[in-house]
Amino acid sequence: MKIYQVEELVGITKKNIRFYEDQGLLCPERNPQNDYREYSLADVKVLEKIKLLRKLSVPIEEIRLLQKGRISFEQSMNAQLERLGKEEENVHLMKELCQRLKDENCDLKSLDASFYLMEMDKMEKEGTHFKDIEKEDIMKKKKKGAILAAVIFCILMLLFAGILISTIIAKSAPLLPMIIPVIILLTIVIGIVCVLILRLREINKGEEYEARKY
């Protein structure tokens, strides 16, 4: 089975499949004739388990320990329940802080942010985790870069297509030989838009960034 088939079956991007391979969570056989990876149904099952555990926010390192039999599945689930309980506690504390800010009836101009930031620093040292703004900023930056590159390239292609069409009209050139490059350019533009959509979906899944945590 080829990687694109596995991607469709499991719903994991090729980049993330490669990432799991790099992390040692997946070891597909290689074709001895061309050294290409050949994925089996067993590999698909492994990826399904990885996908399930990652959707439950189980850390990569813990999945590795599970695969090696160094911890039991029950131990892993108990640890994850503990982490989720901590997250619930974090959310409760953040809700309390938001309520305090609301009850003070202050506006943005009069808000004493430094006081609350100091309090939040203290809470973080005690184990509370607030929103990961770095992750959000990185995702926005990636999206902006991908969109900007695609827009610039599409504009260039459309300009070339416009020039060719103008040349055809101005010189009354034979239509067929001149229209083929225009069709090619428009096909490239459509391809760029499709690639952009796939890239944005990939960024939204975020596994590349999640890998930093482990």
Side-chain angles (χ1 to χ4, degrees):
M1 205 181 308
K2 304 301 180 186
I3 193 167
Y4 71 89
Q5 295 173 306
V6 177
E7 184 180 29
E8 291 176 1
L9 273 174
V10 187
I12 297 177
T13 64
K14 287 183 283 188
K15 185 169 286 187
N16 282 345
I17 293 172
R18 297 281 191 242
F19 167 68
Y20 295 138
E21 290 176 23
D22 292 340
Q23 293 296 308
L25 303 183
L26 183 70
C27 300
E29 297 290 333
R30 287 186 178 269
N31 189 318
Q33 295 179 342
N34 53 28
D35 202 37
Y36 290 167
R37 292 173 177 83
E38 293 287 347
Y39 297 89
S40 64
L41 287 176
D43 293 321
V44 170
K45 293 295 182 184
V46 169
L47 278 170
E48 287 176 342
K49 291 173 185 177
I50 293 171
K51 182 178 180 179
L52 170 63
L53 293 171
R54 292 299 291 133
K55 278 183 172 288
L56 293 172
S57 297
V58 175
I60 294 289
E61 181 58 35
E62 196 163 294
I63 297 174
R64 187 182 293 110
L65 293 174
L66 272 169
Q67 289 182 337
K68 291 180 179 180
R70 294 182 182 175
I71 60 171
S72 68
F73 191 69
E74 183 181 1
Q75 286 175 318
S76 175
M77 291 300 98
N78 283 335
Q80 188 59 16
L81 284 169
E82 187 177 334
R83 284 189 290 265
L84 291 172
K86 186 64 179 176
E87 286 180 15
E88 287 181 358
E89 184 182 339
N90 290 341
V91 171
H92 178 70
L93 290 171
M94 283 189 281
K95 286 175 70 175
E96 283 187 344
L97 186 55
C98 289
Q99 188 64 49
R100 281 175 55 193
L101 288 165
K102 177 187 171 185
D103 292 343
E104 284 188 0
N105 294 318
C106 63
D107 56 21
L108 183 63
K109 189 174 181 180
S110 60
L111 176 64
D112 185 3
S114 59
F115 171 78
Y116 288 101
L117 284 171
M118 287 175 64
E119 190 166 337
M120 289 170 77
D121 285 340
K122 182 181 177 182
M123 292 166 69
E124 285 177 330
K125 288 176 182 176
E126 293 171 352
T128 303
H129 295 284
F130 292 97
K131 185 174 178 62
D132 191 345
I133 56 174
E134 182 188 1
K135 176 181 178 179
E136 193 171 283
D137 290 344
I138 288 172
M139 287 182 68
K140 284 181 180 179
K141 187 176 180 180
K142 284 185 176 181
K143 286 181 181 179
K144 186 177 179 181
I147 293 169
L148 184 61
V151 168
I152 291 172
F153 206 82
C154 285
I155 290 172
L156 289 173
M157 293 298 102
L158 291 172
L159 282 173
F160 286 139
I163 291 169
L164 286 172
I165 292 170
S166 299
T167 303
I168 293 170
I169 296 171
K171 295 186 177 181
S172 299
L175 186 61
L176 188 58
M178 296 295 289
I179 204 68
I180 291 175
V182 174
I183 294 172
I184 292 172
L185 289 171
L186 292 176
T187 303
I188 291 172
V189 169
I190 293 170
I192 291 169
V193 172
C194 292
V195 170
L196 175 63
I197 292 170
L198 290 173
R199 178 58 180 153
L200 292 177
R201 287 177 181 172
E202 187 179 81
I203 291 170
N204 283 332
K205 290 183 179 179
E207 185 63 76
E208 289 177 273
Y209 179 86
E210 292 297 318
R212 292 181 173 201
K213 297 180 182 178
Y214 310 109

